[in-house]
Amino acid sequence: MKTYFNLDKKLKKIFNYFSIFTIVLGTTFGSINSANAAAVALVDGAALVLADVDEVADTLSNAADADVTLDSDSGDAITFATLTSGAGTALTVEIIDGTAGDAETTDITGAVTAATGSTLGITITDGLLDLGGSVVEAGTGVATITIAAAQELNTTGAGATIAASITSAATSILDIDGTATFSDTVSAGVLTIDGATTFSSTLTAAGAATIDAATTAAGNATFSSTVDLSDTLTFTGTTFTASGAAGLETDADDAKLLVDGAAAQTIAAKITPDTTNEAILENSNVAATVTFNEQIGVVGGALMKLVDTDTSTTSVFKKEVGAVMFRVDGSATLTLDGNQATNVDINSAGTLILDDTITNGQEVFLAGTSVADGSVDGTGNIKMPANLLDGESIVLIAQTTDAADAAIVIDVEAAVFDTALRTYTVSAVANGANDNDIKVTVADNSATTVASNLGTTTNMGTALIQAGIAVETDATALDAFSNALNAEGGFSATEDTALAKQVAPQDDMISGSTLASKAVTGTVQGIISNRMASLRSGDAYYGRGMSAGNMTAKSGFIQAFGSEVEQKNKTVGSGTQYGYESSSAGIALGFDGTTDTGATVGLSFSMSNTDLDGKGTGKAKNDIDSYTASLYWDKTGQNGYVEGSLTYGLNKNKTSRLVNTAGLNRTYTGSYDSNQVSLSLGGGAPNAVGASGYVTPFIGVTGTYIKTDAYTESSTTAGDNLRLRVAQDDVNSLVGKVGVKYHNVTDKGTPMISLSLNNEFGDDTINSTNTYQGGGSSFTTSTDVEPLSATLGLGYSYGSDTASIEFAYEAEANNDKYLGHYGSIKIVGKF
């Protein structure tokens, strides 16, 4: 017999001697039951052999911390009923077999219990431990089992619950012969399951695994070697991994992997049938997506009997699928071509989604010789990949039989989903003497049709066609387009409309920026016109909202001005053309003098800033800094006046917009310059009314040429294919106006009111040529400008021969929901 002596527990033994004495007395005088079974006290440092434990009904327990060895040194198995750690103690049990030859069994026929507050650790160092009952963790008790290399744990109990965590070496053996539930983590080496088993927590197996009975894995399961499956394996955890060469290798007709969970699941295990028509894969998880990362069945080899996606489930297949029957009752996404299904059963409640990794000319299903009329059922439940461009095609099912082709074409035609962007046509194309391929060909819709389908403007429809081409090599954007167009990925049927509105050039910003630059020039010209009016005297005195009294010789002015403009949304075609809001503030100053002939000549400068916000869903913005220089002149006669100004302006633009639909979250920015040259000519004839009033009919014409630099957007996403290069057409504007003003010169200042009609005789559209950086053709978008508008002016001025102050307000409106407000304050001084 071996002797075990643990030096680091000497002090504990002093206390244990008293405990042992008490236990022994109790055992001697009354603990033997009617079967002559004993309650064996586990003593610290003791080694128990068959002579000590020799009854099936013996019960083993400790009253204090103990470190015990069970040694089958006699050559026979040790068998006893229960093993219990005392409450609040630490008990470690090592199982060894000191006998040469085959390892003997240590057999616990009943329960192993870790009492509350205790820890019970069992280590199988050399031998075999047979558990005939449960392992119980009472209260806060903790039980662990460790299996050394090449050693074995066997469970034989019926309906046993194994609450202990199990840790194993790679070559150890866990053999489950009874029916058992493992409620804690299990780390096995070689795993054999011969009885119905449930793993409630994490399961790992480093060695080969054989599953010959119904098994449920409720936690994550990881198998490092091939799993031999001949029964039903139900997986309800999160991640299932079988990294062996064959993954799950089946060897029975009814071998089945049933996937059923309450959250997203990943199956990183191939399934390899021994022979065709042998294995079943079923997804019944209705709560979230199940992703299959490895091949299912062997294309061109042993096919699965059935791959079944149940109603309301979502399955994604990342590798090829090979099956006698591929049944789609839920949603099934294929990401590769070259799948094999003798029959494809797509029910009306199911949806087959072809991922955008499937490309032009590829075959989705090979050898569909059993596909027949009715195999494909439903309307709009086959979703095509978004990367198929105009004129491209794929073979959905290859090698169907001639007799069924006409009916299959009708079925597939009804099932293929036409998007707002593209229409798909199904045909049977000859493939050999007796077989055909069911082919699907794509055609882009016209821009008008796209706009009508989406409920957008034609500009947006035009842009979406080219954007659909541009994203072909941008995987993230392509997925977004595919999901939006097909109303998949959790997106509604209106997501394609939202996407079209944001990826298109933002007309609200493009047109608004041009009109804002034009408006700044117009405001400066108005300031100059008012300045010249303030210098007039006599019957020809004219004021367009402000007057400074008679100023002669050399003088100068400084004027602060601002504006608020709103262009409301309007309906254009089948959609909404979004408007904008802009807010400007600036300052102008000028110097002028009177010539010997009485003409006025001056020079002015201005600088201003405009913040423009588009009303579209792309949240387009432009921050515009404008700088102008103007030369102006005026000549007044007895019957009226003529005036003119020549203005040059430079605008520095900083734009931004966003795309945050269909799962995308991208911001685009641009920077560019624009400049304009404007010539304004006008005249009027004041007529005295009463003692100090004047009515002045006036006319004018303003010609403006605006040139805008082309620019390419930057993006927060590297290599973004949806970045736009925008090249705006030059704008040639010619605005004529006619109106009347009234002002009254009093001792307390000069009030004024005016009204004019304005009409654009030049360009009445703002056009830009746009190109997505990911590809596609350049395309033009246009925004109409309402040519006719009316302007109301109000003003008041007060001053002397040396200084004055002026206030002015103008409102311009048209019949196209445009309204602009302009205001200014001017201080004039003579020098």
Side-chain angles (χ1 to χ4, degrees):
M1 176 179 294
K2 296 181 180 179
T3 301
Y4 291 84
F5 188 66
N6 195 333
L7 292 177
D8 62 1
K9 293 190 177 180
K10 285 183 178 180
L11 294 178
K12 288 184 179 181
K13 287 186 178 182
I14 297 173
F15 172 79
N16 288 342
Y17 288 152
F18 177 79
S19 299
I20 294 165
F21 177 76
T22 303
I23 295 170
V24 171
L25 284 179
T27 302
T28 306
F29 292 101
S31 297
I32 301 176
N33 61 24
S34 58
N36 294 319
V40 179
L42 301 176
V43 182
D44 189 26
L48 303 180
V49 293
L50 182 61
D52 303 303
V53 184
D54 59 1
E55 295 290 342
V56 173
D58 279 355
T59 60
L60 277 64
S61 63
N62 66 310
D65 292 354
D67 187 349
V68 179
T69 302
L70 297 181
D71 184 358
S72 55
D73 187 47
S74 63
D76 294 317
I78 294 178
T79 303
F80 57 96
T82 62
L83 174 64
T84 304
S85 60
T89 66
L91 173 61
T92 61
V93 178
E94 182 181 19
I95 296 174
I96 67 171
D97 174 23
T99 303
D102 295 336
E104 299 299 337
T105 300
T106 298
D107 187 0
I108 305 176
T109 60
V112 174
T113 303
T116 185
S118 73
T119 59
L120 171 57
I122 301 175
T123 301
I124 308 172
T125 301
D126 179 21
L128 183 154
L129 173 60
D130 192 329
L131 293 178
S134 297
V135 177
V136 180
E137 292 178 327
T140 58
V142 176
T144 60
I145 300 175
T146 303
I147 312 173
Q151 309 311 307
E152 181 175 349
L153 171 63
N154 186 19
T155 64
T156 57
T161 297
I162 312 298
S165 64
I166 299 175
T167 304
S168 307
T171 57
S172 66
I173 300 169
L174 174 58
D175 185 3
I176 304 169
D177 290 326
T179 57
T181 297
F182 293 81
S183 59
D184 208 334
T185 59
V186 174
S187 174
V190 177
L191 175 63
T192 302
I193 301 175
D194 293 313
T197 302
T198 297
F199 296 96
S200 300
S201 187
T202 302
L203 168 65
T204 60
T210 302
I211 302 176
D212 291 332
T215 300
T216 297
N220 290 344
T222 302
F223 298 90
S224 299
S225 298
T226 297
V227 181
D228 187 3
L229 180 66
S230 61
D231 209 300
T232 297
L233 172 58
T234 302
F235 178 66
T236 61
T238 301
T239 303
F240 182 95
T241 304
S243 55
L248 285 179
E249 186 172 25
T250 65
D251 60 1
D253 289 346
D254 56 355
K256 179 178 183 179
L257 175 62
L258 174 62
V259 182
D260 185 11
Q265 296 175 282
T266 299
I267 309 300
K270 66 176 66 175
I271 303 178
T272 307
D274 275 351
T275 61
T276 292
N277 206 27
E278 182 178 72
I280 298 171
L281 170 64
E282 180 180 357
N283 176 18
S284 60
N285 180 352
V286 299
T289 300
V290 178
T291 302
F292 299 91
N293 284 343
E294 301 296 337
Q295 69 178 32
I296 308 299
V298 182
V299 174
L303 302 178
M304 301 284 291
K305 179 179 182 179
L306 172 66
V307 174
D308 192 3
T309 60
D310 291 350
T311 302
S312 300
T313 64
T314 302
S315 307
V316 177
F317 297 92
K318 294 291 189 179
K319 294 290 181 67
E320 297 90 345
V321 177
V324 174
M325 171 66 78
F326 184 80
R327 179 176 295 150
V328 181
D329 291 325
S331 170
T333 298
L334 296 177
T335 61
L336 293 180
D337 69 320
N339 304 281
Q340 185 174 350
T342 309
N343 196 359
V344 180
D345 182 13
I346 304 175
N347 294 318
S348 58
T351 301
L352 177 65
I353 301 170
L354 305 183
D355 193 74
D356 47 45
T357 49
I358 296 173
T359 60
N360 178 46
Q362 292 184 336
E363 295 183 347
V364 179
F365 288 108
L366 310 174
T369 55
S370 295
V371 177
D373 184 13
S375 292
V376 177
D377 188 20
T379 302
N381 55 337
I382 297 178
K383 307 296 181 72
M384 302 298 290
N387 62 315
L388 288 183
L389 305 182
D390 187 45
E392 295 183 340
S393 64
I394 60 170
V395 173
L396 180 63
I397 307 171
Q399 299 178 29
T400 58
T401 58
D402 289 348
D405 285 341
I408 295 172
V409 167
I410 294 173
D411 292 343
V412 174
E413 186 74 62
V416 170
F417 180 76
D418 291 330
T419 69
L421 181 59
R422 293 168 178 139
T423 299
Y424 300 91
T425 303
V426 182
S427 60
V429 180
N431 178 8
N434 299 310
D435 295 324
N436 282 330
D437 291 341
I438 305 303
K439 182 179 180 181
V440 183
T441 304
V442 63
D444 285 345
N445 295 326
S446 68
T448 303
T449 299
V450 173
S452 177
N453 290 338
L454 295 172
T456 63
T457 64
T458 302
N459 281 349
M460 295 173 185
T462 301
L464 189 65
I465 293 172
Q466 298 305 320
I469 299 171
V471 297
E472 188 175 16
T473 58
D474 184 338
T476 302
L478 187 59
D479 284 342
F481 269 64
S482 182
N483 288 332
L485 292 170
N486 289 316
E488 294 294 337
F491 296 109
S492 70
T494 61
E495 195 70 18
D496 51 359
T497 299
L499 182 63
K501 290 178 178 180
Q502 289 194 345
V503 299
Q506 300 300 287
D507 296 332
D508 49 0
M509 180 185 68
I510 294 172
S511 62
S513 298
T514 298
L515 294 176
S517 299
K518 182 179 173 184
V520 168
T521 301
T523 299
V524 170
Q525 290 172 331
I527 290 171
I528 292 170
S529 179
N530 293 335
R531 169 63 179 160
M532 290 185 288
S534 70
L535 297 175
R536 298 183 193 120
S537 60
D539 291 341
Y541 179 83
Y542 169 72
R544 198 182 82 171
M546 53 214 78
S547 176
N550 297 332
M551 300 293 294
T552 59
K554 296 179 181 180
S555 60
F557 69 89
I558 184 169
Q559 182 162 353
F561 61 90
S563 68
E564 295 286 340
V565 174
E566 181 182 21
Q567 171 65 65
K568 293 185 177 180
N569 299 340
K570 58 183 180 180
T571 300
V572 175
S574 58
T576 299
Q577 179 177 294
Y578 291 107
Y580 61 90
E581 293 179 347
S582 68
S583 176
S584 299
I587 189 169
L589 57 88
F591 304 94
D592 48 49
T594 303
T595 67
D596 293 340
T597 62
T600 298
V601 179
L603 183 65
S604 76
F605 303 92
S606 77
M607 57 187 300
S608 63
N609 175 261
T610 300
D611 290 324
L612 184 141
D613 295 309
K615 291 179 175 286
T617 61
K619 304 298 181 184
K621 298 178 183 294
N622 194 1
D623 183 15
I624 309 171
D625 289 326
S626 299
Y627 308 90
T628 68
S630 300
L631 177 67
Y632 56 91
W633 64 93
D634 171 90
K635 178 66 175 176
T636 302
Q638 292 296 318
N639 297 320
Y641 66 88
V642 292
E643 64 180 18
S645 64
L646 178 63
T647 302
Y648 171 78
L650 172 65
N651 309 292
K652 292 191 171 294
N653 301 263
K654 293 182 178 180
T655 68
S656 67
R657 67 182 180 94
L658 57 81
V659 174
N660 61 356
T661 60
L664 297 175
N665 187 14
R666 302 179 178 186
T667 299
Y668 301 86
T669 57
S671 179
Y672 65 93
D673 292 343
S674 63
N675 53 71
Q676 65 264 10
V677 177
S678 182
L679 176 64
S680 179
L681 300 172
N687 297 283
V689 177
S692 58
Y694 294 88
V695 174
T696 304
F698 63 88
I699 61 173
V701 62
T702 302
T704 305
Y705 171 75
I706 303 175
K707 182 177 179 60
T708 303
D709 293 345
Y711 67 96
T712 301
E713 293 177 321
S714 299
S715 172
T716 52
T717 298
D720 191 343
N721 285 13
L722 289 175
R723 290 176 299 125
L724 279 166
R725 179 170 178 78
V726 180
Q728 189 172 320
D729 289 358
D730 296 343
V731 174
N732 291 285
S733 170
L734 184 63
V735 177
K737 61 183 175 182
V738 59
V740 62
K741 296 192 176 193
Y742 172 79
H743 73 276
N744 190 18
V745 180
T746 71
D747 293 339
K748 296 182 178 181
T750 303
M752 184 279 298
I753 185 171
S754 67
L755 180 67
S756 67
L757 292 177
N758 321 293
N759 192 76
E760 175 66 73
F761 294 99
D763 293 338
D764 58 1
T765 60
I766 297 174
N767 304 317
S768 66
T769 301
N770 317 281
T771 310
Y772 288 107
Q773 295 307 284
S777 302
S778 298
F779 60 98
T780 300
T781 56
S782 299
T783 304
D784 293 336
V785 177
E786 172 63 33
L788 185 64
S789 66
T791 301
L792 172 67
L794 300 172
Y796 177 80
S797 66
Y798 183 83
S800 66
D801 288 340
T802 59
S804 69
I805 184 169
E806 305 173 354
F807 304 92
Y809 167 79
E810 283 188 354
E812 183 181 2
N814 62 29
N815 196 38
D816 206 20
K817 300 181 179 181
Y818 174 92
L819 178 61
H821 302 273
Y822 307 88
S824 65
I825 300 174
K826 180 168 68 174
I827 299 173
V828 181
K830 179 183 177 182
F831 59 91

